[in-house]
Amino acid sequence: MITQRMKRNINGRAVLRRSITARVVASVLLGVPMAALSAGDGTGNVVQVADATTGVAGANGSGSSGVGQLQSITVTASKRREEIKDIPTSVSAIDGDSLLEHHIANYDDITRTVPGVSFQAGAGPGLSNIEMRGVSSTSGAATVGIYIDEVSVTVKNTYDGAVQPKLFDVDRVEILRGPQGTLFGSSSMGGTIRFITKQPDLNTYSASGGTDLSGTRHGGFNNDTFVIANVPVIPGKFALRFGADVSNQSGYIDHYIGTQTGIPPGGNPANGNLLTLNTNDSTGVLGATGVNSERTQVFRVSGKYLGDSGYTIDPSILYQRTATGDSGVYFPSIGQYQQDKRVTEPTTDILLVPSLTITKALDFADLTSVTSFFRRDMQRVTDGTYYNSNIYAQTLAATNDPATAAAFGVPVNPLPASLAGQVPSLNYNTLGVIGFLPGPVLLNTISQQFSQELRLTSKETPFYGMPMTWTGGLYVSNLHQEHTEYDPIPGLSAAFAQIYNAPGFGIDQSALGQNYFPGVSYANDMSYFARTHLNERQLAPFGEFTLGLTDKLKAAVGLRYVSANQSFDAVNGGFIGFGIPSPYKDSGHYSATTPKASLDYAVNDRVNVYTSAAKGFRLGGPSNPDPANIPGAFCNQDYANLGIPGAPTKYDSDSLWSYEVGTKGRYFDNRLSVNAAMYAINWSNIQQSINLPFCGFTFTANAGDARSLGTELEVRALVTDSLTLGFNGGTSHAYITRSSEPAFQVGEAILNVPEFTANFSADYDTDLTDTLQGFARADYAYTGQSHAYYNSSTVTNHFSPSYGVLNLAVGVVQKKMSISLYAKNLLDNKKIIQYPSINTVQEGFTLRPLTVGLTATFQM
């Protein structure tokens, strides 16, 4: 819902008449407080300014109401309501109005809006990994915690990406940088992102809704419609808030039917791979357009009951379903927005989050209980033709020739006499038919977590004459994660029988059958299957204590202890899984203590400087067992290339220490806000993913140590009473300082961390008539180059290039209705911004093409 912008009192405030940019930047970079630059009224009642990313206050009244001043947002980053300026760590907040008016729709947009946050693209929604401040890893436990209100929806990086809540009926998004382990747990070592939803109003009936109609170049028609109702069932005591949102986004990737080219009859089997066999050329036929369409459905209901004796009960349930027709990546080698996969790659991501929060106001503190259940069901299909059908065909063809079989480390095929002289023809058909059979990989991951947090949050009380606040609590959780994978090659047995047409010689009698690989079965044309189950139980007491040492200086210390037990079991089978121990069981216990400390000094009532030190922590765990280094197993060549004896079956915990200094201030009668921070992070025993490109498996290992150094700057200026300008920028240099794995080199950059990011924004509001206001929003985001693959990788593109994107919106607001016209990616930037890969097959991920739309909202 877009609320009416506060009218500017043009006659009541003087326009900022002198240039302040040079003095502000110099002061921030030199670390000198800007008290001398302040132009406040000296009353001490100036409204506090939020960080540079904030816009107008949300509709719940969390912002200030000062006329001719920037607005602020109160956040709950420390489990209590505080102004951003008073929190001694780097925090950004994007309010609900700004989300809508700047059309911030997903993690991609968020990372381009605030500094210090980036993403590693997946093939669609729910498959991207999020990182903060160079703490980047696509394996092991997550490095960034994801919360919806009070509930953690953080999932491991093992199989899929981060949960992506739809930005619908959201009051604000809070971005908490740096380790947040004291209050938010072990997977917040890089930071935490919190999606704070709007809460029921106990006293006012209201209804709102809106629709967004747009068109995408090279795509089609898009629509997004929402309705919200707030009902005070018992005015002043009990209210319900209902909301529903349905979104349909057109696809812009086209599918071409692949053709078999590249291997003539009698050709060398070593040349048989999908990169030549499955390549669109002049004989390619367009199969379908816009295959990566996306549909999201969201329903949320929340309640608020204000009981007697200070009780507040807040139940809530969120249901979200996102389904895509195909992946959102394409093959640059065949053309812009074109792919020719053999298998369609749809996804269905279902999220269910019921929760119950109960708060009791005591004389000295608020007692809060948060009971929640979180379930995510991610079902997806990937194209395994390259690393199932094709690799199987290459291995089978190798068994027909003794020299090639010896090079592959597999037995020689016991060909019947009738086939002995037909090896070239057999190999040609093996590679060209079996190697080209569509090989779907059917993946399903179900994550279920029950959690309970009980905490006390004190009111401010004196401690030896000094103001004191504290928070203490206990968190317990029980996570179950079940993953299944089925890799059939439909038609494999029939194709083998047709190619190797000899009585009594079936696929089970070949050199890849049970006589040589005991236990391998080709029932139902299955090449590989796996079922795994992880149970993780956590117990974590935590506490934080803040003391006002003087009227200007406050100190805070915090501590969390985490104790976690894990049990893991797996069953694997199929020829491609030969060499994997099955059944397999493992267990482990992990624990850590994560302290933090900070000092915050108020230079005056408008400028704070602070410093902090904090420890972050990630749980270790099992690395799904890969094929052992034994004769005939698929990963032998990968192990030899990496110079390792085999894949480990588990990885240890990793941890880091982060050190930060910064300043937050407001100047010129609250018309300018500046937040700046510098940080240094030392990361030990880092969990990183190692790909085995030939066999298609991946394992997680502790790769060594790393360091991340960076800066962040957020500036927002009310240049005139109608025009607000903003700048957010950051630098990050994250690199390996010690390597314990041959796949990583000292000095290499950590993956998916842009060297530099910048966002320029402009917000213009004006009164067109007494009842009609106009507005314009523009922002340009620049993302610098990042390291996409380690040097040991054999892929072509090791870096994600720099890119920029321009967005624009203009509109009008009259009473409780608004209409706006917008364009995202106005310049239609087509550059490939990341190169996701399936083993060594690189694909292209780009910005959504130019999208122009019209948004209309109403409030009753």
Side-chain angles (χ1 to χ4, degrees):
M1 174 177 62
I2 298 179
T3 60
Q4 179 178 324
R5 290 278 177 177
M6 180 185 65
K7 293 183 180 181
R8 310 294 189 188
N9 187 347
I10 297 176
N11 297 322
R13 295 283 182 181
V15 174
L16 191 63
R17 291 187 175 90
R18 61 179 181 268
S19 173
I20 59 174
T21 305
R23 295 168 65 188
V24 169
V25 172
S27 177
V28 170
L29 295 179
L30 292 173
V32 178
M34 290 182 288
L37 296 178
S38 301
D41 58 13
T43 63
N45 297 317
V46 181
V47 178
Q48 295 177 336
V49 180
D51 66 299
T53 63
T54 58
V56 68
N60 68 346
S62 61
S64 67
S65 58
V67 177
Q69 299 179 339
L70 291 171
Q71 302 297 292
S72 68
I73 294 180
T74 299
V75 296
T76 52
S78 56
K79 302 281 188 177
R80 62 175 70 240
R81 298 180 67 84
E82 291 182 287
E83 294 286 348
I84 286 179
K85 185 183 75 68
D86 297 326
I87 299 174
T89 189
S90 181
V91 178
S92 295
I94 313 172
D95 68 26
D97 292 340
S98 295
L99 291 171
L100 283 167
E101 294 178 5
H102 286 270
H103 294 275
I104 299 170
N106 50 36
Y107 283 127
D108 298 23
D109 293 333
I110 291 174
T111 62
R112 290 189 282 264
T113 303
V114 298
V117 187
S118 62
F119 71 99
Q120 184 266 334
L127 296 174
S128 294
N129 292 101
I130 311 303
E131 69 85 25
M132 286 191 190
R133 290 189 163 182
V135 184
S136 173
S137 176
T138 59
S139 60
T143 63
V144 173
I146 307 296
Y147 277 72
I148 300 176
D149 293 321
E150 294 271 8
V151 181
S152 171
V153 292
T154 309
V155 296
K156 294 180 178 294
N157 293 329
T158 313
Y159 304 112
D160 306 306
V163 170
Q164 170 66 83
K166 180 78 161 59
L167 298 181
F168 151 70
D169 201 26
V170 170
D171 183 70
R172 64 188 181 275
V173 178
E174 298 179 0
I175 297 95
L176 321 179
R177 302 183 190 87
Q180 300 293 326
T182 301
L183 296 178
F184 295 100
S186 63
S187 284
S188 293
M189 65 190 306
T192 299
I193 298 177
R194 303 182 67 210
F195 298 88
I196 309 299
T197 61
K198 293 185 177 179
Q199 298 301 302
D201 186 326
L202 291 172
N203 299 299
T204 306
Y205 287 91
S206 65
S208 59
T211 188
D212 184 317
L213 307 176
S214 64
T216 297
R217 177 174 289 182
H218 204 267
F221 175 74
N222 318 300
N223 65 84
D224 188 340
T225 301
F226 73 87
V227 292
I228 301 166
N230 189 90
V231 181
V233 181
I234 306 175
K237 296 283 290 184
F238 177 52
L240 291 172
R241 187 178 183 91
F242 304 90
D245 183 289
V246 177
S247 170
N248 293 283
Q249 301 296 312
S250 63
Y252 51 88
I253 305 295
D254 296 337
H255 173 69
Y256 284 79
I257 299 172
T259 58
Q260 295 170 274
T261 62
I263 296 184
N268 186 346
N271 293 330
N273 62 74
L274 196 62
L275 293 179
T276 53
L277 283 173
N278 189 12
T279 300
N280 182 60
D281 58 16
S282 59
T283 62
V285 177
L286 179 63
T289 61
V291 294
N292 62 315
S293 59
E294 176 184 331
R295 179 178 176 84
T296 300
Q297 300 159 298
V298 187
F299 176 75
R300 190 173 76 89
V301 58
S302 58
K304 182 177 288 293
Y305 175 76
L306 183 61
D308 298 329
S309 304
Y311 275 104
T312 303
I313 302 175
D314 297 286
S316 175
I317 185 168
L318 167 70
Y319 173 83
Q320 176 176 305
R321 184 182 188 274
T322 300
T324 64
D326 205 336
S327 62
V329 293
Y330 66 94
F331 296 153
S333 60
I334 68 172
Q336 185 82 43
Y337 306 135
Q338 296 180 14
Q339 49 100 324
D340 62 351
K341 301 188 307 290
R342 295 288 284 152
V343 175
T344 301
E345 298 179 317
T347 64
T348 302
D349 190 0
I350 300 174
L351 181 66
L352 178 66
V353 188
S355 67
L356 177 65
T357 301
I358 302 175
T359 303
K360 165 66 173 175
L362 306 175
D363 291 339
F364 65 99
D366 290 334
L367 176 63
T368 302
S369 168
V370 182
T371 306
S372 66
F373 176 76
F374 155 54
R375 176 185 169 98
R376 184 194 194 187
D377 188 350
M378 170 65 91
Q379 305 166 28
R380 60 191 181 99
V381 180
T382 64
D383 185 359
T385 307
Y386 176 68
Y387 56 88
N388 285 339
S389 307
N390 182 63
I391 290 178
Y392 178 83
Q394 289 189 64
T395 308
L396 179 61
T399 65
N400 294 327
D401 176 72
T404 309
F408 272 69
V410 292
V412 177
N413 224 337
L415 291 174
S418 61
L419 301 176
Q422 302 179 31
V423 169
S425 176
L426 293 175
N427 282 355
Y428 172 72
N429 287 300
T430 297
L431 296 170
V433 177
I434 292 179
F436 202 62
L437 290 174
V441 176
L442 312 176
L443 303 166
N444 186 201
T445 306
I446 298 177
S447 300
Q448 298 184 113
Q449 177 173 280
F450 169 82
S451 65
Q452 173 66 52
E453 180 173 298
L454 191 66
R455 69 175 183 266
L456 276 169
T457 305
S458 77
K459 299 176 173 62
E460 185 176 292
T461 57
F463 179 77
Y464 290 99
M466 296 176 289
M468 176 189 67
T469 59
W470 52 266
T471 299
L474 179 68
Y475 174 84
V476 296
S477 67
N478 191 350
L479 167 69
H480 289 270
Q481 187 176 67
E482 184 171 332
H483 177 75
T484 59
E485 176 177 343
Y486 295 96
D487 297 19
I489 306 178
L492 173 62
S493 298
F496 183 96
Q498 182 177 1
I499 295 167
Y500 295 83
N501 184 18
F505 186 68
I507 193 169
D508 287 319
Q509 287 73 47
S510 72
L512 303 186
Q514 295 185 22
N515 291 338
Y516 299 93
F517 296 91
V520 168
S521 170
Y522 292 96
N524 300 316
D525 290 333
M526 191 66 62
S527 69
Y528 174 73
F529 72 88
R531 294 189 297 272
T532 64
H533 176 258
L534 172 71
N535 177 221
E536 179 181 283
R537 299 171 302 282
Q538 282 193 52
L539 174 68
F542 62 90
E544 189 168 283
F545 174 87
T546 301
L547 186 65
L549 302 177
T550 71
D551 59 348
K552 291 182 176 293
L553 180 65
K554 67 178 181 180
V557 293
L559 190 70
R560 188 185 191 100
Y561 174 75
V562 180
S563 177
N565 290 300
Q566 292 183 351
S567 61
F568 176 81
D569 59 84
V571 177
N572 299 271
F575 175 73
I576 290 178
F578 179 74
I580 298 179
S582 180
Y584 175 82
K585 290 187 177 182
D586 197 1
S587 62
H589 174 76
Y590 304 92
S591 63
T593 301
T594 54
K596 79 169 189 178
S598 66
L599 288 172
D600 184 83
Y601 181 75
V603 178
N604 54 39
D605 58 357
R606 295 170 296 280
V607 180
N608 286 31
V609 293
Y610 67 89
T611 183
S612 66
K615 184 180 180 181
F617 170 73
R618 229 178 0 159
L619 294 171
S623 184
N624 294 350
D626 291 343
N629 195 350
I630 58 177
F634 264 83
C635 297
N636 294 3
Q637 189 60 51
D638 288 308
Y639 297 142
N641 293 341
L642 291 172
I644 58 177
T649 56
K650 65 170 57 179
Y651 52 90
D652 293 329
S653 302
D654 59 356
S655 63
L656 58 78
W657 273 99
S658 174
Y659 308 93
E660 178 179 341
V661 295
T663 179
K664 300 178 183 181
R666 57 189 188 275
Y667 312 95
F668 297 101
D669 198 17
N670 201 17
R671 299 176 72 96
L672 171 70
S673 71
V674 179
N675 294 344
M678 296 188 298
Y679 62 87
I681 295 173
N682 294 323
W683 188 5
S684 301
N685 217 25
I686 63 176
Q687 298 170 11
Q688 293 286 282
S689 179
I690 298 178
N691 295 316
L692 304 174
F694 177 77
C695 67
F697 287 88
T698 300
F699 64 86
T700 299
N702 297 99
D705 301 336
R707 179 172 295 126
S708 180
L709 307 172
T711 62
E712 294 153 356
L713 176 63
E714 300 175 300
V715 180
R716 192 167 178 86
L718 184 59
V719 180
T720 73
D721 287 325
S722 296
L723 177 63
T724 303
L725 299 180
F727 170 80
N728 301 323
T731 64
S732 185
H733 180 44
Y735 58 97
I736 293 175
T737 57
R738 181 185 65 86
S739 175
S740 57
E741 286 287 340
F744 308 97
Q745 299 175 9
V746 172
E748 279 193 277
I750 298 293
L751 305 187
N752 308 310
V753 181
E755 299 171 347
F756 176 76
T757 61
N759 179 283
F760 302 89
S761 64
D763 294 78
Y764 183 78
D765 299 87
T766 187
D767 291 333
L768 301 177
T769 68
D770 289 342
T771 60
L772 184 67
Q773 291 80 44
F775 66 85
R777 314 278 177 246
D779 60 83
Y780 177 80
Y782 174 83
T783 301
Q785 177 180 271
S786 61
H787 202 184
Y789 296 89
Y790 289 111
N791 295 339
S792 60
S793 174
T794 59
V795 298
T796 303
N797 301 285
H798 279 233
F799 291 89
S800 296
S802 60
Y803 68 96
V805 57
L806 177 64
N807 305 309
L808 181 67
V810 295
V812 293
V813 178
Q814 185 174 38
K815 293 184 179 179
K816 295 184 177 181
M817 296 189 65
S818 69
I819 298 176
S820 67
L821 177 68
Y822 71 91
K824 294 192 69 172
N825 190 13
L826 180 62
L827 303 180
D828 198 23
N829 188 336
K830 298 182 176 67
K831 178 185 284 189
I832 295 174
I833 63 174
Q834 291 192 22
Y835 291 90
S837 68
I838 301 297
N839 296 335
T840 58
V841 182
Q842 285 195 303
E843 301 170 314
F845 177 83
T846 187
L847 297 165
R848 186 175 185 86
L850 168 64
T851 298
V852 177
L854 184 70
T855 300
T857 66
F858 71 90
Q859 182 179 1
M860 297 176 60

